[in-house]
Amino acid sequence: MATFMLALLACLAVLCTTVLGDRIVNITILESATDQGAVCLDGSPPAYYLDRGFDTGISNWIIFLQGGGWCDSIPDCQGRATMDIGSSKHMTKQTHFAGILHNTPQENPVLELVDFYNWNRVWVNYCDGSSFTGDVEQVDPENNLFFRGARIFKAVLEDLRSKGMQYAKNAILSGTSAGGLATILNCDKFKSLLPNDAIVKCVANAGFFINVKTISGTSNIQTTYHRVVTLHGSAKNLPPSCTSTMEPSLCFFPQHVVPYVETPLFIINSAYDAWQINNTLVPANLDPRHVWEHCKAQISSCTFSQRIVIQVFGVEFLRAFEGLNPCYTRGYFITSCHTHEQIVVTNYWFSATSPNILNKAIAEAVGDWYFDRVGFHQHIDPYPSARDC
Ligand SMILES: *[C@@H]1O[C@H](CO)[C@@H](O)[C@H](O)[C@H]1NC(C)=O
Ligand SMILES: *[C@@H]1O[C@H](CO)[C@@H](O)[C@H](O)[C@H]1NC(C)=O
């Protein structure tokens, strides 16, 4: 018995950490998608990483959409076309799965029945620059760019259906940042591609980009979204119930579109999201002398007046949030941490140091919500201002 315990401890200390830390998954390049014109910005086929489910998770699927901002102009998209976020020619052949995509219960907890570690887990590469919403038939020979994000979403999911997802019993669409926004925008579409009796839900991480003005009072993010939607022909792929009631590019904002999403949705975000503070509130061109640099990196380095500006942003964020229609199937995990973190990072998703609201980590809150284990799913950090976590 003692020898067994020692062996187990040794394993936990050395062997297991290496094994647990490294789940390496190979890329699948979906060559056949080019027949449907479902291609990255440069015309190369889309790609994903799939790690098969096992044991009780064999009929369950979690699809994670990668993030990485958007491109809203030809030169901007051309720049991406030479990188992994615009071309499968530049994607890595293998990747590491962690956080919500991890394949062991130690990092991806089994709480009562099952959680996600033994599900089929898929990371979908982002290479369209429109949060998987674009669809423009013509290709301008001047630049050879393809705007086909919505086609990629459809082609990848059709392929996964043929690999077993058509018989799914449980399914989650998730994603971070631009992928978190893509999760919201494509949530009902995802549901429609799964069996009627499957339990289908969506988990959007760091994708609640609010429509707020910059420190100079200009509407930069609204302009950016308008340009993205126009360039990529996204309007027809946004939820029609939203676009029929307002200017389509406004439906790119979660605060406007979420009330029209019918599938249960869980939103994980910081009220002081670091990307939004860096880009929506204080874009670099409005800070030519870099007086915001230290504050952007660390809240404790902000001046008193900068802290007030950030505090007001948080108030705007919560106001946008509270303006949503009440909905009992919706779950929230809204932190006060000044971050823009990903649930595919174990330290954020579930660890001793991950954000906690009333003693619950994100993994526990999402699991409880997905499996209806408890009745309450709307967690808002009671800490009253932005902080470094
Ligand atoms: C992943 O690719 C490597 C190198 O091409 C190969 O040796 C390995 O068997 C592949 N793994 C799986 C699970 O297909
Ligand atoms: C925000 O900007 C700061 C300062 O440049 C940088 O350290 C930080 O990584 C940025 N965060 C995000 C999420 O863009």
Side-chain angles (χ1 to χ4, degrees), residues 23-27 50-51 93-94:
R23 181 59 177 184
I24 296 174
V25 185
N26 288 352
I27 199 166
L50 161 65
D51 198 18
K93 301 283 169 275
Q94 301 184 316

Side-chain angles (χ1 to χ4, degrees), residues 67-258:
W70 310 271
C71 63
D72 68 350
S73 71
I74 297 290
D76 198 4
C77 295
Q78 277 173 323
R80 282 178 177 247
T82 65
M83 298 188 278
D84 63 333
I85 49 170
S87 168
S88 54
K89 289 178 198 151
H90 301 278
M91 292 170 186
T92 57
K93 301 283 169 275
Q94 301 184 316
T95 196
H96 295 249
F97 273 15
I100 194 174
L101 296 180
H102 209 280
N103 67 322
T104 61
Q106 282 84 350
E107 291 201 40
N108 208 352
V110 182
L111 292 171
E112 284 168 28
L113 301 167
V114 291
D115 275 4
F116 317 120
Y117 75 96
N118 60 5
W119 291 27
N120 295 279
R121 285 151 292 111
V122 187
W123 166 296
V124 184
N125 293 59
Y126 182 41
C127 65
D128 63 276
S130 70
S131 283
F132 296 88
T133 63
D135 193 351
V136 178
E137 177 62 31
Q138 300 98 308
V139 178
D140 185 345
E142 287 271 298
N143 55 53
N144 264 313
L145 287 171
F146 293 78
F147 301 104
R148 302 283 174 79
R151 289 198 209 183
I152 293 176
F153 184 79
K154 184 157 176 284
V156 166
L157 289 173
E158 288 295 349
D159 186 59
L160 295 171
R161 275 170 55 84
S162 76
K163 290 181 171 164
M165 203 177 74
Q166 69 185 117
Y167 305 115
K169 294 199 170 72
N170 293 283
I172 291 178
L173 179 67
S174 184
T176 288
S177 194
L181 176 59
T183 298
I184 295 172
L185 299 176
N186 290 295
C187 182
D188 287 344
K189 210 182 276 182
F190 178 67
K191 162 97 180 141
S192 74
L193 292 166
L194 283 142
N196 278 333
D197 58 355
I199 300 172
V200 182
K201 304 191 181 188
C202 301
V203 178
N205 166 214
F208 203 93
F209 297 93
I210 63 167
N211 190 3
V212 73
K213 291 189 163 47
T214 64
I215 44 168
S216 305
T218 50
S219 303
N220 287 26
I221 187 75
Q222 192 178 319
T223 307
T224 300
Y225 280 2
H226 186 78
R227 292 166 58 101
V228 170
V229 168
T230 308
L231 182 65
H232 293 263
S234 302
K236 57 185 174 295
N237 296 312
L238 300 174
S241 46
C242 182
T243 53
S244 64
T245 62
M246 67 188 84
E247 206 280 301
S249 67
L250 289 178
C251 295
F252 224 69
F253 285 103
Q255 69 203 78
H256 298 310
V257 80
V258 162

